[in-house]
Amino acid sequence: MTNDPKNLVIIGGVAAGMKAAAKARRESPSLKITVITDDQFISYAGCGMPYYIGDVIKDSKKLILREPSYFKDMHNIDVLTRHRATAIDTRSKQVKVRELEKNRDLTFPYDKLIIATGAQPIVPPLPGVSLGNIFTLRTVKDALKIKACVDGGKVRNAVIVGGGLIGMEMVENLMLRGIRVTVVELLDQILSPLDRDMALLVQNHMVQKGVEIITSDGVKSFEGNGSGVVTTVITGKRQLQTDMVILSIGIKPNTKLAQEAGIEIGATRAIKVNERMETNIPDVYAVGDCAENIHLVTKKPAWIALGSTAAKMGRVAAVNATGGFDTFPGVVSALIVKVFELHVGKAGLSEREAVKEGFQVEATIYPAGDKAHYYPGTKEIIIKLIADRATKKLLGAEIVGEGTVDKRIDVIATALTFGATVDQVSKLDLAYAPPYAMAMDAIIVAANILGNKLSGRTVGILPHEVAERLERGEVLVLLDVRTESEYQNGHIKGCKHIPLDKLTARIQELDRSKEIVAYCRSGLRAAQAYRILRNAGFPNIKYMDGSILAWVYGLEK
Amino acid sequence: MTNDPKNLVIIGGVAAGMKAAAKARRESPSLKITVITDDQFISYAGCGMPYYIGDVIKDSKKLILREPSYFKDMHNIDVLTRHRATAIDTRSKQVKVRELEKNRDLTFPYDKLIIATGAQPIVPPLPGVSLGNIFTLRTVKDALKIKACVDGGKVRNAVIVGGGLIGMEMVENLMLRGIRVTVVELLDQILSPLDRDMALLVQNHMVQKGVEIITSDGVKSFEGNGSGVVTTVITGKRQLQTDMVILSIGIKPNTKLAQEAGIEIGATRAIKVNERMETNIPDVYAVGDCAENIHLVTKKPAWIALGSTAAKMGRVAAVNATGGFDTFPGVVSALIVKVFELHVGKAGLSEREAVKEGFQVEATIYPAGDKAHYYPGTKEIIIKLIADRATKKLLGAEIVGEGTVDKRIDVIATALTFGATVDQVSKLDLAYAPPYAMAMDAIIVAANILGNKLSGRTVGILPHEVAERLERGEVLVLLDVRTESEYQNGHIKGCKHIPLDKLTARIQELDRSKEIVAYCRSGLRAAQAYRILRNAGFPNIKYMDGSILAWVYGLEK
C-alpha cells in the first residue's frame, strides 16, 4: 500500500497544500485526494494582499488563484473549505474534522497525509489588543477587513507595530491611500533580517518619504474610544494617536495539530521534516509555513516561511506521497521587498547572523551603478557581501538601492546554493550589455573588493565598525579625501580633510603613529588614498568600505 | 626575476589591457608599466557605441572612460598611444614598436608581457566594399565616423550586413535616428548564437517595428555614385538602394603579432592560454578578445570575445604577471542584448550547439510572466531550457521577451558555472515578492517542466520539431484545445479543434492509432489535454512546448 496509496489527505489549502494536491493528481490519475481547510478561501496569493489594500491591485478576485470548483472539475480533487482538522490519529490513520457550517464531526481515513497548516500572526497579549481597527494581515479575510476600513475614508493615521517585511510593504501601500504612517519597532532597527547598517539605509529613505519610524520602543497597550475603536497606541516612551493599527510583529507555525498527534517539532518550533518532507511518523508529510527547512549556508534547521518555498515543498511531498522520489535540499533565505523607490534584498547570512553562527567574518560594502555608468537611467545600488575568512566562501549578501537589486540577489542565492567562494563569484560570466550591467557587474566588483580584503591585499573597515569605535571613544584619524565642495556639503564629525590630489604633497600633515581611516564618497578614492599612504610606509592605514554612501550615522557641515 | 618583475609591457589599451595595467599597479607600486597601443583612444566603452550613434548617449566623452594622463598622474602608468607594436622577440624579451606620429622605431624590453591586441571586424573582399558610407563599428574612430554620417542628415536608408548582436543594436539605434533599416543575413536566421525558433521571435518583433529582414541571402557586391558613395547593395537575390552600410558579419582575433613571435594559436584561432592567462612562451600572457577561453559547459576551448570577460582576464594576468596567483576558469557564454522592446539573452549552449557537441538533448519552451500575474506591469518572457538526457544537467538557456530577461540569464549562467542539474535549478531559492517574480519563478517552473520530460513523466514536442515534421510531410494530428474565439483568431493549418473543457465528452472524435500533438496558447492547457488523453489510454500523445506563443511558423484563420 505504501507504494500505491489510494487516499491522500492534505490539511491546508493555500500555497503548499494546493500545490501538493495539484502535483499529486498529475503524478497519480486515480488517487483520491481530499484537501481540508477551515478557511473559506483557498489557493490565494497572500503576498499580494498589501498591494490589494494599496489599490495597486484593484480586484480582490485577482488574489484568489483558484476556486474549489476548479480543482473538482479539472483535477477531481475534493477541497473542503470551512472544515477544521481537529485531530490526527496516526495509528488508525485518520483525520478528525469539524465541519464548521454544519457543526458536525467527520472522519477522513488516509494512506498518506500532508500537513500544510501554515502559520499565524503573533498577537501580543497587550491591554486593548482586541479593540476595533486593530488588524493582523495574514488571510484574505484580514485583507478584506483592512481594505474596508481604509475604504471607509476615516483613517488619517495608522501605526504599524513591527518593522518586518510585510509591515514595510503595508507602510508604502497605506501611504498610497493617503494615510500618515508610524512604525513602532522594539529592536534598534527595522527589517531585522538585514544588518543594522543596511536597514538604516532603508529607514532613511522611508523617513524622507514622510514615514515616522520609532525604533527601540515597544508597545505597552492600546486605548480606544466609546465605540471600542482604537485611538491611541501607548509605547514605553510615547503615546501615538491613531485611527488604525496593523500588528506585524511576526508569525508562528501552526503546529498544535501535529504536536498533539505525536509528530516531532524541531528546534525552530516548526514541524521537523527530512529532505523528502517526511515527518517522524510514517506516511505523514509536512510542508509550507508549518515546517522546517535546512539552511544551505549553515546546514542547520531554519524556519523561513515563504510562499516560494512552500510551493516547492508541496511539490516534493506530493511526489514522495504518490510513490515517487524527490527531495528539497533547503533554502538560502533569499528575500526581496520593495520599499517606495528602494529595492531591498538579501540572501544567505547577514554579518550579524554570520558572527552569531561562529564564522570568522570578513565583509565589504560597495556602492555601484546597476548599469553601464554612461547608459541613461543607471541607478545606484549598495551591496554588502559577507564571507568566511577560513574557507573564503561567500556567506551572504544584502543589497539596497533604486537600481536593479533582485537580479543580483538571485545570482547570489544561486551561488550560495552551490557553496561558492568569493573568488568564484568574482569570476562569474554574467551577461553584459550597457542597458543591463557594467562590464564587470557590481557583484563581481564587490567580490573582487572582498577578495582583496580576504587575501590581505587591502585593509578596509566597515562604516558601522568606525561608528562603534568612535562611540566607544577610541581615537581614529578619519581622513576625508574628497573635494573641497564635497567636504563642505557634509562630512563626518572630527575628520581631517585632504583632497586626494593633494595627499602626496600634504602627507606630512598626517601622524604615522595614528590609526588612519580614509574615506571618500563611495570608497574608490579612499582605496587610492589607502594605497598612497601604505606605499609611503604608514603602518596603520585603512579605507572605509562604501564610505559616505554607506555612512548612516549622520554628517556635520 | 620571475617573482619580482621590474618591467611590465602591455600591448593594447582598451578593456583587457587597461584593466591589466591598473590591477598590476595595485599589486606592485614600484613596477614600471608601459601600455602600447596604435589607437589614439584608450579605455573606451566599445559596447556603448551603438547607443552613442543612436543619440541615447549624447556625449562621446562618456564613452572614453579614462585618458592617458589619468593613468600617468594617478597610477604612474605610461600609456603610449599611436604606438604600434610590430614584433615581439621572446628570447631577448623585447617589443619592437613603431611610433606612428614620429615615424620612428623604438624598442621596449620587458620582464613580463601581456598581449591584449583585441579583435577586428571581418571585412569581406567584395567588389565595392571600399566605397564611401560603408562602415564597420569597432573603434571610437568608427563610431565618430558613423555618427557624423548620420548627423549629416542625408541617410534615409541603411543596410546592416550580418544579423549579429552589434548589428541588431545598430538597427534599433539607426531607427531612433529616423533611418529605414534593412538587415541582410546569409544564414536562415539572425542572432546565430540563438536557436532559430528563439531568433524568429526576435525577428518577428523587429519586422513589426518596421525593420526589413532578409535571411538566407548574401551580399555579392556594392555599387556607388559618382562621388564614390555607396548607393546599392547587390545580394544573391536582390538589389537594395541605400545611403549607408554597416558591415557587421563578425570579428576575428588580432593574433598576427603573437603568431609571428611563435606564440601558440588555439583551435579557435585565438591565442591559446591556460587558466592563468599564460601563453606557451614564458612570461608572456594573453587576455581579452585576442585570447581563448574554456567553455565551462563543453570544457573545450572557445573564443567568446566580450568586454566583461576581457576585464576579468586582464585582472588575472596582472596578478600572475606581478608574482601572484590567480585563475580564470572560463565562461558560459552568457549574453544579453536589447532589441527594441525585447530583451534577448542566452547562457550556455543552444539546442543546436548541444546537439552538435554530441549531447542527447532534451529541451522545453515555457512562456511565463516575469512577475506575479496579478501585479501591474507584468510582462511576458519565453524561456527555452536545454539539458543533457544522460546526466540531467542543464546545458543552456535562451530567453526572449518584454519582461525581465537579464536576471534569469544571470541565474542560469551562475547555475551552469557550478554544473547544476535541471533538478537543482528547480529547487533554487530565488527571492520572491510580487513586484519581482512569481512565487515559483519562471525558470523554476521551466526547470520543473523540463524535469518532467527528462524523467519521462510527460512527453512534449518543441514547435520547431512539429514544423520540421510537417515540412517533411509526416502525418500528425495537431489538436488545438483553446477556446472557439482563440481558434478563430488564428490556428495552425490543418489542426483539429476541441476546446479543453469539451475534450472528455468528444474524445471519440480522436483516432487512437494516430500520433496526436496537443497545443494551446502557452502549453498549460495542452499539458492538461495530454494527461486527459494519456489517462484515457491514448498511446501516442504529446503536448507542444510553448504552443502558439512559441509557434513562429505562421497561423491561418
Side-chain angles (χ1 to χ4, degrees), chain A residues 27 327 343 427-428 457, chain B residues 27 312 327 427 436 457:
Chain A
E27 293 291 298
T327 61
H343 312 289
K427 306 291 170 58
L428 285 174
R457 279 184 167 83
Chain B
E27 293 291 300
K312 287 171 211 148
T327 61
K427 306 291 171 56
Y436 306 97
R457 279 185 166 84

Side-chain angles (χ1 to χ4, degrees), chain A residues 507-508 510-516 533 536-540:
Chain A
I507 204 162
Q508 77 291 348
L510 294 167
D511 183 345
R512 282 169 189 265
S513 71
K514 295 268 169 62
E515 181 175 358
I516 300 173
L533 295 179
F538 279 66
N540 198 356

Side-chain angles (χ1 to χ4, degrees), chain A residues 259-517:
Chain A
Q259 205 162 0
E260 287 172 357
I263 293 165
E264 190 179 349
I265 306 298
T268 67
R269 300 198 301 164
I271 300 170
K272 194 177 171 80
V273 290
N274 64 16
E275 280 197 339
R276 297 188 68 193
M277 305 295 109
E278 294 167 334
T279 68
N280 64 316
I281 304 288
D283 299 324
V284 179
Y285 303 80
V287 295
D289 292 354
C290 67
E292 284 187 350
N293 281 118
I294 296 297
H295 195 300
L296 294 173
V297 176
T298 64
K299 317 285 185 201
K300 293 178 186 171
W303 183 60
I304 294 155
L306 288 171
S308 49
T309 302
K312 287 170 212 148
M313 294 169 88
R315 234 178 156 269
V316 167
V319 170
N320 291 317
T322 52
F325 183 91
D326 201 0
T327 61
F328 183 66
V331 296
V332 295
S333 194
L335 66 86
I336 183 88
V337 61
K338 180 176 172 297
V339 183
F340 297 99
E341 271 84 67
L342 283 189
H343 312 289
V344 180
K346 182 201 173 191
L349 304 180
S350 68
E351 184 189 8
R352 185 186 59 235
E353 289 164 343
V355 168
K356 202 174 155 198
E357 288 289 335
F359 290 102
Q360 290 289 314
V361 172
E362 190 65 82
T364 190
I365 294 181
Y366 173 60
D370 67 337
K371 302 178 186 68
H373 69 279
Y374 52 79
Y375 194 81
T378 295
K379 290 177 181 163
E380 201 159 72
I381 57 177
I382 297 187
I383 301 176
K384 181 170 184 175
L385 290 187
I386 298 105
D388 174 25
R389 276 198 216 127
T391 60
K392 296 187 166 44
K393 278 192 183 185
L394 189 70
L395 296 174
E398 299 167 55
I399 313 181
V400 169
E402 297 191 17
T404 304
V405 168
D406 58 332
K407 170 165 82 167
R408 277 98 192 175
I409 288 295
D410 279 358
V411 168
I412 296 288
T414 305
L416 288 170
T417 300
F418 294 98
T421 63
V422 172
D423 182 57
Q424 287 176 314
V425 173
S426 77
K427 306 291 170 58
L428 285 174
D429 183 14
L430 303 177
Y432 164 58
Y436 305 97
M438 301 189 296
M440 299 254 279
D441 187 75
I443 56 176
I444 287 175
V445 178
N448 278 330
I449 293 170
L450 185 52
N452 284 339
K453 291 181 79 170
L454 284 168
S455 66
R457 279 184 167 83
T458 56
V459 183
I461 181 166
L462 294 174
H464 81 81
E465 297 174 308
V466 173
E468 286 152 15
R469 292 181 58 186
L470 293 175
E471 185 82 13
R472 290 199 294 267
E474 293 185 32
V475 176
L476 288 177
V477 178
L478 287 175
L479 175 63
D480 186 330
V481 298
R482 298 176 301 159
T483 63
E484 183 64 28
S485 69
E486 286 178 285
Y487 172 80
Q488 294 295 348
N489 256 326
H491 50 263
I492 300 174
K493 195 180 163 184
C495 71
K496 165 85 179 165
H497 178 235
I498 306 180
L500 182 64
D501 57 1
K502 306 280 191 311
L503 184 58
T504 303
R506 292 173 55 186
I507 204 162
Q508 77 291 348
E509 293 177 32
L510 294 167
D511 183 345
R512 282 169 189 265
S513 71
K514 295 268 169 62
E515 181 175 358
I516 300 173
V517 175

Side-chain angles (χ1 to χ4, degrees), chain B residues 2 21 24 30 49 68 109 118 184 221 231 235 249 251 271 358 397 432 486 489 534-535:
Chain B
T2 305
S30 60
M49 295 191 303
V184 180
S221 63
T231 57
T235 73
I249 61 173
I251 57 171
I271 300 171
Y432 165 57
E486 286 179 285
N489 255 326
R534 187 195 57 184
N535 296 342

Side-chain angles (χ1 to χ4, degrees), chain A residues 164-201:
Chain A
L165 273 72
I166 307 291
M168 296 307 95
E169 288 180 337
M170 281 308 300
V171 169
E172 182 179 355
N173 280 290
L174 290 177
M175 287 190 65
L176 283 174
R177 304 295 306 271
I179 297 170
R180 279 201 75 250
V181 182
T182 303
V183 176
V184 180
E185 167 62 56
L186 188 60
L187 301 176
D188 64 351
Q189 66 170 87
I190 59 166
L191 293 170
S192 65
L194 301 188
D195 285 320
R196 184 163 182 265
D197 48 6
M198 299 300 280
L200 280 172
L201 291 169

Side-chain angles (χ1 to χ4, degrees), chain A residues 19 23 26-27 29 45 47-48 51 56-57 62-63 65 70 74-75 308-309 311-312 315-316 319 326-329 331-338 343 373-376 406-407 409-411 413-415 417-418 420 423-424 426-436 439-440 444 448 452 457 500 528 531 534-535, chain B residues 19 23 26-27 29 45 47-48 51 56-57 62-63 65 70 74-75 308-309 311-312 315-316 319 326-329 331-338 343 373-376 406-407 409-411 413-415 417-418 420 423-424 426-436 439-440 444 448 452 457 500 528 531 534-535:
Chain A
K19 182 61 80 175
K23 179 65 178 168
R26 292 199 295 273
E27 293 291 298
C47 304
Y51 299 96
V56 175
I57 300 164
K62 283 203 169 181
L63 298 181
L65 309 183
Y70 167 86
M74 287 306 302
H75 298 298
S308 49
T309 302
K312 287 170 212 148
R315 234 178 156 269
V316 167
V319 170
D326 201 0
T327 61
F328 183 66
V331 296
V332 295
S333 194
L335 66 86
I336 183 88
V337 61
K338 180 176 172 297
H343 312 289
H373 69 279
Y374 52 79
Y375 194 81
D406 58 332
K407 170 165 82 167
I409 288 295
D410 279 358
V411 168
T414 305
T417 300
F418 294 98
D423 182 57
Q424 287 176 314
S426 77
K427 306 291 170 58
L428 285 174
D429 183 14
L430 303 177
Y432 164 58
Y436 305 97
M440 299 254 279
I444 287 175
N448 278 330
N452 284 339
R457 279 184 167 83
L500 182 64
Q528 289 174 330
R531 277 188 290 271
R534 186 195 58 184
N535 296 341
Chain B
K19 181 62 78 174
K23 178 65 179 167
R26 293 199 296 272
E27 293 291 300
C47 302
Y51 299 96
V56 174
I57 299 165
K62 284 203 167 182
L63 298 181
L65 308 183
Y70 167 86
M74 286 306 302
H75 298 299
S308 49
T309 302
K312 287 171 211 148
R315 232 176 157 272
V316 167
V319 170
D326 201 0
T327 61
F328 183 66
V331 297
V332 295
S333 194
L335 66 87
I336 183 87
V337 60
K338 179 176 173 297
H343 311 289
H373 69 281
Y374 52 80
Y375 194 82
D406 58 333
K407 170 166 82 165
I409 288 295
D410 279 357
V411 168
T414 305
T417 300
F418 294 99
D423 182 57
Q424 287 176 315
S426 76
K427 306 291 171 56
L428 285 174
D429 183 14
L430 303 177
Y432 165 57
Y436 306 97
M440 300 254 278
I444 287 176
N448 278 330
N452 284 339
R457 279 185 166 84
L500 182 63
Q528 289 174 327
R531 277 189 289 272
R534 187 195 57 184
N535 296 342

